[in-house]
Amino acid sequence: MYKYKIAGLTVAMSPQYPTLQKQSEPYRTFDDAAFDFTVDLPQEFIEYKHSKNPHLSMNDCEYIWKGFEFYRQLPLFGGIMLHSSCIAMDGKAYLFSAPCGTGKSTHTALWKEYFGDRVTYINDDKPAIMLCDGNVVAYGTPFSGKTDNNNNISAPLCGVCLLERSETNSIDQISSQEAIAFLLNQTFRPREVGAMVKTLDVLDAIFKLVPVYKLKCNMSYDAVLTSYNGMNK
Amino acid sequence: MKILPGFIKKRVGDVDIVVAVGEASTTFNALITLNSSGAFLWDKLEKGTTEEEMVAALLEKYEISQEIAARDVAKFIDKAKGAGVVEE
């Protein structure tokens, strides 16, 4: 087992295949902190998933399912994953959430094109959102879906956009009532009551501390300016 | 009349929601949002109560008529039964 520092937590993990080995390397640590938890799955489990998903290699299965195992344990440590594209700019984290295929990665890619090196990916698929000392912080993790757009960085979360495709660009702040169903669908819903309560605690903190917006946008630089200016009024 | 085991109510931001955990979550994967009187009635049902007690509690809490209280409680119970969250 190697030691990793992910989302502020000390994690034991033993990557067997190239993708997870490569993605987790920037998170390796050699300090003497005690382990918070272990991310481990029996080889038979990975083989089982591979047999059920023949279009996925063993490499892909390890990456996907060890990722799930990491996020499954996260609520017990005060964090959740949000299916979203999350970027950092000027020390602030911005998160764009939507179901697959809506265009969140397209939107953050446009931010990167427009603002250049001021923008760094935190995680283009599943950032870890942690509640730390009363602050909501977005962290990179090794698990970033189909791309390797993740970095071992963190930033305070300053805006959450629920993204929707539209011909014209607009951004409006919305209430927790309007956002809760959407956001709960973009995270794991634990079956165990303790983990569920902690998940809801993090969502509660997000709503209390971070403005949440409905962003309707097209694929233009004007969309970038709409979301950036809207979140930095 | 009581809420079935496995449903938890929690305030998230400025809204009260109900989700299922444990056994209940294998068949119930929706999300219920409650307004303030709904949350109040939910709390009563969670401890176990009757329709009459719920009407009395609403009348004590809010300045409304007997008719409106009875109608609101009946509507709430109907929705709760329809959602499958209540045992008799």
Tab-separated table of all heavy atoms in Angstrom, chain A residues 175-177 180-181 184 189-191 193 196-197 200-201 203-204 207-208, chain B residues 8 10-15 17 19-22 25-26 29-31 33:
chain	number	residue	atom	x	y	z
A	175	SER	N	-32.417	29.444	-5.380
A	175	SER	CA	-32.515	29.069	-3.964
A	175	SER	C	-32.129	27.608	-3.776
A	175	SER	O	-32.064	26.840	-4.750
A	175	SER	CB	-33.949	29.256	-3.490
A	175	SER	OG	-34.777	28.327	-4.162
A	176	SER	N	-31.936	27.211	-2.519
A	176	SER	CA	-31.640	25.808	-2.238
A	176	SER	C	-32.820	24.929	-2.655
A	176	SER	O	-32.632	23.818	-3.142
A	176	SER	CB	-31.282	25.581	-0.770
A	176	SER	OG	-31.965	26.448	0.081
A	177	GLN	N	-34.027	25.441	-2.501
A	177	GLN	CA	-35.210	24.678	-2.922
A	177	GLN	C	-35.130	24.335	-4.406
A	177	GLN	O	-35.427	23.218	-4.815
A	177	GLN	CB	-36.467	25.512	-2.642
A	177	GLN	CG	-37.724	24.920	-3.211
A	177	GLN	CD	-38.811	24.769	-2.167
A	177	GLN	OE1	-38.708	25.279	-1.062
A	177	GLN	NE2	-39.850	24.054	-2.504
A	180	ILE	N	-31.711	21.803	-4.913
A	180	ILE	CA	-31.408	20.594	-4.152
A	180	ILE	C	-31.579	19.301	-4.950
A	180	ILE	O	-30.703	18.429	-4.913
A	180	ILE	CB	-32.164	20.547	-2.794
A	180	ILE	CG1	-31.799	19.299	-2.002
A	180	ILE	CG2	-33.664	20.603	-2.974
A	180	ILE	CD1	-30.354	19.188	-1.597
A	181	ALA	N	-32.669	19.158	-5.692
A	181	ALA	CA	-32.892	17.904	-6.417
A	181	ALA	C	-31.778	17.693	-7.435
A	181	ALA	O	-31.224	16.595	-7.559
A	181	ALA	CB	-34.252	17.906	-7.095
A	184	LEU	N	-28.439	16.846	-5.605
A	184	LEU	CA	-28.468	15.517	-4.985
A	184	LEU	C	-28.313	14.437	-6.058
A	184	LEU	O	-27.768	13.360	-5.795
A	184	LEU	CB	-29.773	15.340	-4.213
A	184	LEU	CG	-29.802	14.304	-3.102
A	184	LEU	CD1	-28.642	14.477	-2.130
A	184	LEU	CD2	-31.116	14.379	-2.345
A	189	ARG	N	-25.782	9.013	-3.350
A	189	ARG	CA	-26.710	9.005	-2.224
A	189	ARG	C	-26.411	7.768	-1.401
A	189	ARG	O	-26.743	6.667	-1.809
A	189	ARG	CB	-28.156	8.994	-2.732
A	189	ARG	CG	-28.580	10.362	-3.236
A	189	ARG	CD	-29.893	10.319	-3.958
A	189	ARG	NE	-31.021	10.164	-3.064
A	189	ARG	CZ	-32.256	10.542	-3.363
A	189	ARG	NH1	-32.515	11.113	-4.518
A	189	ARG	NH2	-33.233	10.343	-2.525
A	190	PRO	N	-25.730	7.931	-0.244
A	190	PRO	CA	-25.398	6.756	0.559
A	190	PRO	C	-26.657	6.059	1.067
A	190	PRO	O	-27.671	6.716	1.304
A	190	PRO	CB	-24.606	7.334	1.750
A	190	PRO	CG	-24.292	8.730	1.397
A	190	PRO	CD	-25.296	9.178	0.410
A	191	ARG	N	-26.569	4.728	1.245
A	191	ARG	CA	-27.698	4.016	1.834
A	191	ARG	C	-27.637	4.084	3.352
A	191	ARG	O	-28.644	3.951	4.022
A	191	ARG	CB	-27.653	2.540	1.404
A	191	ARG	CG	-27.940	2.335	-0.056
A	191	ARG	CD	-28.661	1.005	-0.279
A	191	ARG	NE	-28.763	0.660	-1.677
A	191	ARG	CZ	-29.596	1.223	-2.536
A	191	ARG	NH1	-30.384	2.187	-2.149
A	191	ARG	NH2	-29.630	0.853	-3.791
A	193	VAL	N	-27.314	5.612	7.011
A	193	VAL	CA	-27.865	6.871	7.524
A	193	VAL	C	-26.787	7.870	7.939
A	193	VAL	O	-26.908	9.064	7.634
A	193	VAL	CB	-28.886	6.602	8.668
A	193	VAL	CG1	-28.255	5.871	9.820
A	193	VAL	CG2	-29.520	7.895	9.146
A	196	MET	N	-25.346	9.444	4.880
A	196	MET	CA	-26.362	10.288	4.238
A	196	MET	C	-26.462	11.623	4.977
A	196	MET	O	-26.493	12.682	4.355
A	196	MET	CB	-27.720	9.583	4.233
A	196	MET	CG	-28.872	10.450	3.716
A	196	MET	SD	-28.661	11.043	2.027
A	196	MET	CE	-29.500	9.731	1.146
A	197	VAL	N	-26.492	11.576	6.305
A	197	VAL	CA	-26.580	12.817	7.085
A	197	VAL	C	-25.363	13.697	6.806
A	197	VAL	O	-25.491	14.907	6.607
A	197	VAL	CB	-26.722	12.512	8.595
A	197	VAL	CG1	-26.549	13.771	9.426
A	197	VAL	CG2	-28.079	11.882	8.881
A	200	LEU	N	-25.686	15.343	3.419
A	200	LEU	CA	-26.614	16.473	3.480
A	200	LEU	C	-26.008	17.645	4.239
A	200	LEU	O	-26.291	18.802	3.929
A	200	LEU	CB	-27.946	16.029	4.105
A	200	LEU	CG	-28.713	14.975	3.293
A	200	LEU	CD1	-29.986	14.550	4.020
A	200	LEU	CD2	-29.074	15.486	1.897
A	201	ASP	N	-25.152	17.367	5.221
A	201	ASP	CA	-24.453	18.440	5.939
A	201	ASP	C	-23.579	19.248	4.987
A	201	ASP	O	-23.517	20.481	5.075
A	201	ASP	CB	-23.528	17.862	7.034
A	201	ASP	CG	-24.286	17.486	8.292
A	201	ASP	OD1	-25.420	17.976	8.477
A	201	ASP	OD2	-23.746	16.696	9.096
A	203	LEU	N	-23.956	19.506	1.698
A	203	LEU	CA	-24.848	20.259	0.798
A	203	LEU	C	-25.424	21.471	1.516
A	203	LEU	O	-25.515	22.560	0.950
A	203	LEU	CB	-25.972	19.351	0.282
A	203	LEU	CG	-25.543	18.362	-0.809
A	203	LEU	CD1	-26.628	17.324	-1.079
A	203	LEU	CD2	-25.206	19.097	-2.102
A	204	ASP	N	-25.773	21.305	2.780
A	204	ASP	CA	-26.292	22.413	3.580
A	204	ASP	C	-25.263	23.536	3.664
A	204	ASP	O	-25.581	24.709	3.492
A	204	ASP	CB	-26.644	21.890	4.987
A	204	ASP	CG	-27.176	22.991	5.885
A	204	ASP	OD1	-28.159	23.645	5.516
A	204	ASP	OD2	-26.597	23.199	6.970
A	207	PHE	N	-25.027	25.420	0.392
A	207	PHE	CA	-26.119	26.376	0.217
A	207	PHE	C	-25.971	27.601	1.115
A	207	PHE	O	-26.347	28.705	0.737
A	207	PHE	CB	-27.469	25.717	0.468
A	207	PHE	CG	-27.894	24.790	-0.632
A	207	PHE	CD1	-28.278	23.502	-0.362
A	207	PHE	CD2	-27.911	25.225	-1.952
A	207	PHE	CE1	-28.668	22.634	-1.384
A	207	PHE	CE2	-28.302	24.381	-2.987
A	207	PHE	CZ	-28.675	23.078	-2.696
A	208	LYS	N	-25.418	27.396	2.326
A	208	LYS	CA	-25.309	28.533	3.244
A	208	LYS	C	-24.134	29.443	2.898
A	208	LYS	O	-24.160	30.631	3.174
A	208	LYS	CB	-25.163	28.042	4.687
A	208	LYS	CG	-26.417	27.392	5.246
A	208	LYS	CD	-26.360	27.324	6.763
A	208	LYS	CE	-27.700	27.042	7.379
A	208	LYS	NZ	-27.985	25.594	7.517
B	8	ILE	N	-35.435	10.020	6.524
B	8	ILE	CA	-34.905	11.076	7.379
B	8	ILE	C	-35.209	12.440	6.799
B	8	ILE	O	-35.122	12.659	5.593
B	8	ILE	CB	-33.395	10.932	7.651
B	8	ILE	CG1	-32.594	10.797	6.359
B	8	ILE	CG2	-33.113	9.727	8.533
B	8	ILE	CD1	-31.108	10.906	6.617
B	10	LYS	N	-34.258	16.442	6.873
B	10	LYS	CA	-33.135	17.312	7.240
B	10	LYS	C	-33.313	18.655	6.540
B	10	LYS	O	-33.790	18.714	5.414
B	10	LYS	CB	-31.825	16.663	6.793
B	10	LYS	CG	-30.630	17.257	7.500
B	10	LYS	CD	-29.403	16.425	7.331
B	10	LYS	CE	-28.227	16.905	8.150
B	10	LYS	NZ	-27.997	18.343	8.219
B	11	ARG	N	-32.879	19.714	7.213
B	11	ARG	CA	-32.906	21.036	6.606
B	11	ARG	C	-31.598	21.219	5.826
B	11	ARG	O	-30.520	21.050	6.371
B	11	ARG	CB	-33.036	22.125	7.665
B	11	ARG	CG	-33.378	23.475	7.046
B	11	ARG	CD	-34.073	24.378	8.043
B	11	ARG	NE	-34.464	25.619	7.397
B	11	ARG	CZ	-35.600	25.797	6.742
B	11	ARG	NH1	-36.473	24.820	6.650
B	11	ARG	NH2	-35.872	26.959	6.161
B	12	VAL	N	-31.726	21.536	4.551
B	12	VAL	CA	-30.545	21.735	3.707
B	12	VAL	C	-30.669	23.124	3.082
B	12	VAL	O	-31.559	23.354	2.268
B	12	VAL	CB	-30.467	20.645	2.604
B	12	VAL	CG1	-29.284	20.886	1.695
B	12	VAL	CG2	-30.367	19.263	3.223
B	13	GLY	N	-29.818	24.052	3.528
B	13	GLY	CA	-29.984	25.434	3.073
B	13	GLY	C	-31.252	25.988	3.682
B	13	GLY	O	-31.427	25.945	4.902
B	14	ASP	N	-32.188	26.465	2.841
B	14	ASP	CA	-33.435	26.983	3.413
B	14	ASP	C	-34.629	26.100	3.083
B	14	ASP	O	-35.767	26.568	3.042
B	14	ASP	CB	-33.680	28.435	2.984
B	14	ASP	CG	-33.746	28.586	1.467
B	14	ASP	OD1	-34.091	27.612	0.780
B	14	ASP	OD2	-33.448	29.694	0.982
B	15	VAL	N	-34.378	24.797	2.858
B	15	VAL	CA	-35.491	23.900	2.558
B	15	VAL	C	-35.389	22.615	3.382
B	15	VAL	O	-34.294	22.109	3.627
B	15	VAL	CB	-35.537	23.594	1.034
B	15	VAL	CG1	-34.291	22.859	0.569
B	15	VAL	CG2	-36.777	22.805	0.668
B	17	ILE	N	-35.960	18.714	3.529
B	17	ILE	CA	-36.131	17.618	2.571
B	17	ILE	C	-36.211	16.283	3.300
B	17	ILE	O	-35.788	16.162	4.457
B	17	ILE	CB	-34.978	17.548	1.538
B	17	ILE	CG1	-33.641	17.234	2.218
B	17	ILE	CG2	-34.893	18.825	0.728
B	17	ILE	CD1	-32.547	16.837	1.243
B	19	VAL	N	-35.307	12.114	2.603
B	19	VAL	CA	-34.723	11.085	1.741
B	19	VAL	C	-34.825	9.746	2.460
B	19	VAL	O	-35.008	9.702	3.678
B	19	VAL	CB	-33.237	11.374	1.409
B	19	VAL	CG1	-33.097	12.568	0.494
B	19	VAL	CG2	-32.421	11.555	2.673
B	20	ALA	N	-34.679	8.667	1.703
B	20	ALA	CA	-34.737	7.327	2.290
B	20	ALA	C	-33.327	6.794	2.508
B	20	ALA	O	-32.424	7.103	1.740
B	20	ALA	CB	-35.505	6.390	1.366
B	21	VAL	N	-33.156	6.007	3.559
B	21	VAL	CA	-31.881	5.324	3.809
B	21	VAL	C	-32.178	3.865	4.119
B	21	VAL	O	-33.338	3.492	4.299
B	21	VAL	CB	-31.105	5.946	5.004
B	21	VAL	CG1	-30.580	7.323	4.641
B	21	VAL	CG2	-31.962	5.998	6.251
B	22	GLY	N	-31.154	3.037	4.158
B	22	GLY	CA	-31.318	1.627	4.523
B	22	GLY	C	-32.245	0.892	3.581
B	22	GLY	O	-32.267	1.151	2.381
B	25	SER	N	-34.417	2.725	1.061
B	25	SER	CA	-33.790	3.339	-0.111
B	25	SER	C	-33.693	2.379	-1.286
B	25	SER	O	-33.399	2.785	-2.401
B	25	SER	CB	-32.400	3.887	0.231
B	25	SER	OG	-31.524	2.832	0.548
B	26	THR	N	-33.960	1.089	-1.052
B	26	THR	CA	-33.920	0.154	-2.188
B	26	THR	C	-35.144	0.349	-3.084
B	26	THR	O	-35.095	0.069	-4.275
B	26	THR	CB	-33.840	-1.313	-1.726
B	26	THR	OG1	-34.913	-1.568	-0.834
B	26	THR	CG2	-32.539	-1.600	-1.008
B	29	ASN	N	-36.300	6.160	-4.205
B	29	ASN	CA	-35.117	6.976	-4.492
B	29	ASN	C	-35.487	8.396	-4.897
B	29	ASN	O	-34.732	9.081	-5.561
B	29	ASN	CB	-34.206	6.305	-5.526
B	29	ASN	CG	-34.993	5.843	-6.723
B	29	ASN	OD1	-36.047	6.391	-7.033
B	29	ASN	ND2	-34.514	4.812	-7.391
B	30	ALA	N	-36.673	8.817	-4.482
B	30	ALA	CA	-37.093	10.192	-4.757
B	30	ALA	C	-36.585	11.115	-3.649
B	30	ALA	O	-35.866	10.699	-2.751
B	30	ALA	CB	-38.608	10.256	-4.849
B	31	LEU	N	-36.984	12.355	-3.747
B	31	LEU	CA	-36.624	13.368	-2.774
B	31	LEU	C	-37.901	14.141	-2.489
B	31	LEU	O	-38.609	14.522	-3.420
B	31	LEU	CB	-35.569	14.284	-3.411
B	31	LEU	CG	-35.358	15.665	-2.827
B	31	LEU	CD1	-34.605	15.554	-1.532
B	31	LEU	CD2	-34.549	16.511	-3.799
B	33	THR	N	-39.580	17.522	-0.844
B	33	THR	CA	-39.317	18.818	-0.221
B	33	THR	C	-40.576	19.240	0.522
B	33	THR	O	-41.694	19.051	0.027
B	33	THR	CB	-38.938	19.916	-1.242
B	33	THR	OG1	-39.952	19.984	-2.238
B	33	THR	CG2	-37.629	19.622	-1.914
